[in-house]
């Protein structure tokens, strides 16, 4: 569980760094496009992770439903 907590902490720290970079770039009008691209990249990354998480949840649900059915059939 500590490994998961460390992984989450590192991910949060990385996101904070990206946010700080985005805020710094947003302050400079010439870099606004870079900011938009950075934010879009972050959103795409999060969407990808959410899809992976959804697939994992669906897999667990399917497995659990299968196990429940097998137990009921026994």
């Amino acid at each position: 569980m500590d490994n998961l907590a460390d992984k989450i902490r590192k991910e949060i720290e990385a996101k904070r760094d990206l946010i700080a970079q985005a805020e710094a770039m947003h302050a400079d009008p010439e870099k606004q496009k870079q900011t938009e691209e950075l934010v879009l990249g972050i959103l795409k990354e999060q969407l990808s992770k959410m899809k992976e998480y959804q697939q994992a949840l669906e897999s667990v649900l399917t497995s659990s439903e299968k196990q429940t059915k097998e137990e009921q059939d026994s």
Side-chain angles (χ1 to χ4, degrees), residues 54-70:
Q54 178 184 6
Q55 289 173 346
L57 287 175
E58 288 172 351
S59 176
V60 168
L61 178 60
T62 301
S63 176
S64 177
E65 288 173 338
K66 182 179 178 183
Q67 182 179 359
T68 301
K69 185 174 182 343
E70 289 173 356

Side-chain angles (χ1 to χ4, degrees), residues 4-38:
L4 179 59
D6 290 340
K7 184 177 178 181
I8 291 171
R9 282 189 196 99
K10 287 178 183 178
E11 192 169 315
I12 289 170
E13 186 177 314
K15 297 300 181 232
R16 285 183 181 151
D17 290 344
L18 287 173
I19 290 169
Q21 290 175 16
E23 288 173 342
M25 285 191 280
H26 188 68
D28 184 354
E30 295 175 8
K31 294 188 177 183
Q32 182 113 19
K33 183 163 178 61
Q34 289 177 331
T35 302
E36 292 169 358
E37 291 172 359
L38 178 62

